[in-house]
Amino acid sequence: MTATAKIRIIGGGLAGCEAAWQALQLGCDVILHEMRPEKMTGAHTSGRLAELVCSNSLKSTLEVSAPGQLKLEMSQLNSLIIQAANAAKVPAGNALAVDREIFSQFIESALLNHPKFKRVDGEVTHLPSPEELASANEYLIICSGPLTSPALAQEIDRITGNQKRLYFYDAIAPVISADSIDMDVCYLADRYGEGEGDYINVPLDKEQYNQFIDGVEAAEKVPLHEFEDVNYFESCLPIEVMIQRGRETLRFGPMKPVGLDNPRTGRRPWGVIQLRQENIEKTMYSMVGFQTKMKWPEQKRLFSTLPGLQNLEILRYGSIHRNTYINGPELLAEDLSLKDSPRIFLAGQITGVEGYTESAAIGLLAGRFAALKSVGKTAPTLPAQCLLGALWVYITKGNLGKYAPMNANLGLLAPVEVDRKASKSDRKSLQIKRANEVFSDYLNGLH
Ligand SMILES: Cc1cc2nc3c(=O)[nH]c(=O)nc-3n(C[C@H](O)[C@H](O)[C@H](O)COP(=O)(O)OP(=O)(O)OC[C@H]3O[C@@H](n4cnc5c(N)ncnc54)[C@H](O)[C@@H]3O)c2cc1C
């Protein structure tokens, strides 16, 4: 008789705990390695499992919102993180905010009291070979998060072929909703007409440009953490750092207007912000070269003053921070195992999602996928029109632009076919309705 397969998990954060819970529910033995408190990251402060490193919010609970829908789908798959969040809930309007102590206690109690679960303390600095995993009949899920210890990061780099497919910084520009761009002001054009009008251009005159520069200079910025150094990559400097080099720097960099004459006026604007298509469905556009450390409300306030962006909806905010993540679409198979090492899975923020709930969501999938693989089964394919499916598609297939961490947002879902006159909120409600329908079919398929 074959011995039962073990699932070994590295990292007792949001993804690791959720993956462990899902594998336990499917009958596996689980061993979870956590290095804290022996070795701390730069952001955690305790040795507890599922410590929330910063805010205590798991974002919106609104039915017609991406975070609300993601939590609903996770709870239908018996998510431990969502159960803990509901048990630890504190009043916070439409957000699911938690008492972080009760939250961690709930998760620890569910896992540590489970007869098939074992926590092992200490840093993992070596990853087993495929042969070692096969002979021990083990499957490994790496959930070591954005602050993966350097020794383990080196190991991940080694087993993924030392191809520089492991990144250590997010330097991301905002992604905005196509619906919120006023095309009566903005226009389609590629520099010098080379292309088929792929970019949407936001034109600024001299006064608007100067106001914008003043606005960025005055805006509140996110302070650096102690564990983050300030050596930005020259090719992805934040706009505020570029402005410190001179007020005109942006006009000779990402806001260069040459070759982008405005067809409405026939003239060259003083400065142009280019918006590049992020997905096939043309629901998301990124602001080219607009990496920024401005605080999120400041980004919303300031970018909404730009011509044609008065109704701006930001789907993913710009940010620059320490973050270890792999190039998911290049490295991951559909079941979230490495294409070259089918017994090694990755989950959580290290796969290229961003956020507590999103990290737990990928932990949920990886835990299930690994458990099913250990008994020779394959999970049915997730539909791309629900939130779990859309995140899964993103990390295994990517979008059109450079691969960068992504949070749950409705721009990831294909648009619904509706009357052109339908309001934005009607469209969103229909996307959510469809997400619920396809997810419910998926659940029926599982049962
Ligand atoms: C400073 C900071 C602030 C953030 N703030 C927010 C926020 O407010 N809201 C939000 O939604 N998201 C936030 N995030 C993003 C992200 O959602 C969280 O980091 C989330 O915790 C990621 O979940 P995870 O399970 O992938 O990683 P983590 O929760 O970080 O879990 C990874 C675990 O692996 C352990 N580990 C690492 N290396 C090893 C090793 N070699 N051996 C054993 N164990 C190891 C770590 O100690 C850690 O416990 C923040 C991220 C950072 C870095």
Side-chain angles (χ1 to χ4, degrees):
M1 207 174 97
T2 349
T4 325
K6 277 200 183 67
I7 309 283
R8 201 174 278 279
I9 295 176
I10 305 175
L14 282 305
C17 291
E18 185 65 62
W21 178 250
Q22 294 292 328
L24 289 168
Q25 300 310 296
L26 292 172
C28 297
D29 288 310
V30 174
I31 300 171
L32 184 142
H33 295 257
E34 173 51 58
M35 67 178 186
R36 293 178 290 111
E38 198 178 288
K39 177 159 182 164
M40 297 296 280
T41 73
H44 292 82
T45 58
S46 76
R48 303 211 79 141
L49 294 181
E51 180 184 327
L52 300 175
V53 282
C54 186
S55 123
N56 66 336
S57 167
L58 275 74
K59 299 191 195 145
S60 175
T61 51
L62 288 176
E63 261 176 43
V64 182
S65 73
Q69 177 64 21
L70 180 61
K71 286 193 276 290
L72 180 71
E73 291 171 15
M74 290 170 72
S75 68
Q76 291 179 54
L77 284 168
N78 194 21
S79 158
L80 178 63
I81 297 296
I82 302 300
Q83 286 177 45
N86 285 325
K89 192 172 171 179
V90 296
N94 290 326
L96 179 54
V98 302
D99 174 316
R100 55 186 84 230
E101 279 295 307
I102 299 175
F103 178 75
S104 282
Q105 267 166 21
F106 186 99
I107 289 162
E108 287 186 337
S109 151
L111 293 178
L112 297 171
N113 291 324
H114 197 289
K116 284 173 164 272
F117 179 86
K118 186 174 164 201
R119 172 178 172 159
V120 176
D121 291 332
E123 179 189 7
V124 175
T125 55
H126 169 75
L127 291 173
S129 66
E131 296 74 28
E132 284 168 328
L133 285 169
S135 75
N137 196 14
E138 284 189 5
Y139 293 81
L140 180 70
I141 311 181
I142 303 172
C143 308
S144 47
L147 305 174
T148 295
S149 74
L152 181 59
Q154 215 172 9
E155 275 291 274
I156 298 170
D157 198 28
R158 177 183 66 76
I159 63 160
T160 53
N162 296 314
Q163 296 287 315
K164 297 204 179 344
R165 290 181 291 195
L166 182 69
Y167 307 111
F168 296 98
Y169 266 88
D170 270 356
I172 56 183
V175 171
I176 68 177
S177 157
D179 274 355
S180 67
I181 305 166
D182 183 349
M183 290 306 289
D184 288 336
V185 178
C186 304
Y187 58 95
L188 291 171
D190 299 307
R191 211 172 289 282
Y192 301 117
E194 292 165 354
E196 293 174 11
D198 295 332
Y199 286 84
I200 296 178
N201 297 277
V202 180
L204 283 82
D205 61 26
K206 189 172 181 180
E207 194 185 340
Q208 289 163 334
Y209 178 86
N210 280 316
Q211 274 169 3
F212 177 66
I213 301 295
D214 291 341
V216 176
E217 281 183 324
E220 265 192 274
K221 320 288 183 318
V222 178
L224 287 169
H225 289 96
E226 270 172 34
F227 54 88
E228 295 176 316
D229 60 35
V230 284
N231 294 323
Y232 297 117
F233 298 117
E234 201 55 31
S235 59
C236 48
L237 289 175
I239 52 169
E240 49 275 12
V241 173
M242 283 191 251
I243 290 172
Q244 277 168 7
R245 294 181 176 182
R247 290 181 70 81
E248 297 296 295
T249 313
L250 285 186
R251 282 189 65 233
F252 290 93
M255 291 182 73
K256 194 163 65 174
V258 290
L260 290 172
D261 292 358
N262 186 342
R264 290 198 188 91
T265 61
R267 286 202 306 272
R268 178 193 295 176
W270 187 255
V272 168
I273 298 170
Q274 291 209 289
L275 306 176
R276 186 172 45 221
Q277 189 183 328
E278 271 279 314
N279 59 350
I280 301 272
E281 292 83 10
K282 296 190 176 180
T283 53
M284 311 162 87
Y285 280 79
S286 57
M287 299 176 74
V288 179
F290 261 57
Q291 300 79 229
T292 176
K293 275 190 76 78
M294 283 188 288
K295 289 192 169 171
W296 286 10
E298 295 285 67
Q299 291 184 35
K300 172 89 170 120
R301 181 185 59 73
L302 191 62
F303 295 148
S304 301
T305 64
L306 291 167
L309 300 188
Q310 61 279 5
N311 297 320
L312 181 68
E313 184 187 354
I314 302 185
L315 298 172
R316 182 188 72 194
Y317 282 85
S319 73
I320 298 187
H321 59 80
R322 164 88 198 277
N323 189 10
T324 314
Y325 67 100
I326 57 156
N327 188 322
E330 259 191 57
L331 295 171
L332 293 177
E334 291 200 345
D335 66 0
L336 304 181
S337 66
L338 287 172
K339 286 176 184 163
D340 294 338
S341 302
R343 281 178 181 257
I344 301 185
F345 295 71
L346 277 93
Q349 185 130 335
I350 200 164
T351 59
V353 289
E354 174 95 38
Y356 298 145
T357 319
E358 289 84 342
S359 300
I362 303 304
L364 181 152
L365 294 181
R368 295 180 65 85
F369 293 167
L372 288 172
K373 196 176 217 173
S374 76
V375 290
K377 290 190 181 160
T378 316
T381 305
L382 274 155
Q385 299 88 346
C386 64
L387 256 296
L388 266 175
L391 283 175
W392 167 74
V393 168
Y394 184 75
I395 60 172
T396 53
K397 305 206 167 47
N399 262 350
L400 296 180
K402 174 180 166 277
Y403 189 64
M406 184 63 79
N407 56 302
N409 68 75
L410 293 184
L412 288 171
L413 303 179
V416 277
E417 304 272 325
V418 278
D419 193 287
R420 269 177 60 85
K421 289 192 206 117
S423 70
K424 219 156 97 180
S425 75
D426 285 347
R427 285 166 203 259
K428 287 182 178 176
S429 300
L430 286 169
Q431 277 183 308
I432 294 292
K433 183 167 173 281
R434 183 184 58 188
N436 278 317
E437 284 164 5
V438 297
F439 193 67
S440 144
D441 290 347
Y442 175 74
L443 289 179
N444 289 336
L446 291 183
H447 299 142

